[in-house]
Amino acid sequence: MEKKTDSEAYDVEIIERVRPNMPKPQVLYELSDFFKVMGDGTRIQLLWALEESEMCVGDLACLLNMTKSAVSHQLKVLRVAKLVKALKKGKNVYYSLDDGHIKNILEKALEHVQE
């Protein structure tokens, strides 16, 4: 195997134990992108609101004191990242968290920052 680093291992046993448990680089890049999407204050507010209840764009805009256009833009980012899903009911589109994992991540993150 070609050496791609200029550092030498201090503890080869640790490296040999940890290396097989490391996710593939592509998976780690996707994880990084996930956190980039969640790293926006407006999107966190939207996610938190949607954790509480399914809501339409107008209600989210009113709750967060934003324009419908701004909310729609952020919801699109969250939809593409598979963090929220949309369901058309009559003339309105209602948004909710994509699945329970998102709620768990939000709750764990909040727990962490409140320690």
Side-chain angles (χ1 to χ4, degrees):
M1 176 159 69
E2 183 180 317
K3 189 173 184 178
K4 296 181 181 179
T5 180
D6 63 352
S7 60
E8 300 212 11
Y10 291 105
D11 192 330
V12 175
E13 288 178 18
I14 290 175
I15 293 169
E16 289 174 353
R17 181 172 35 95
V18 171
R19 182 172 280 136
N21 298 320
M22 292 288 294
K24 293 182 179 178
Q26 181 59 36
V27 172
L28 291 173
Y29 290 129
E30 290 172 15
L31 184 61
S32 175
D33 289 342
F34 169 83
F35 281 109
K36 286 177 189 173
V37 170
M38 296 213 33
D40 177 88
T42 299
R43 291 192 287 263
I44 286 291
Q45 290 180 69
L46 288 167
L47 290 169
W48 203 265
L50 295 174
E51 179 194 23
E52 294 292 323
S53 178
E54 175 182 80
M55 298 176 81
C56 67
V57 171
D59 289 343
L60 286 164
C62 184
L63 176 68
L64 300 180
N65 196 28
M66 296 173 61
T67 65
K68 289 180 188 178
S69 175
V71 168
S72 291
H73 172 74
Q74 295 301 335
L75 286 169
K76 181 179 180 183
V77 172
L78 293 169
R79 246 185 10 258
V80 168
K82 298 179 184 167
L83 298 178
V84 301
K85 59 186 174 185
L87 178 64
K88 187 161 175 85
K89 293 182 182 177
K91 294 181 180 181
N92 287 324
V93 177
Y94 287 84
Y95 293 85
S96 61
L97 296 182
D98 190 67
D99 61 37
H101 294 111
I102 307 307
K103 181 178 181 173
N104 292 339
I105 291 166
L106 289 170
E107 289 172 349
K108 287 295 182 188
L110 179 64
E111 183 181 315
H112 176 74
V113 299
Q114 290 181 333
E115 283 185 350

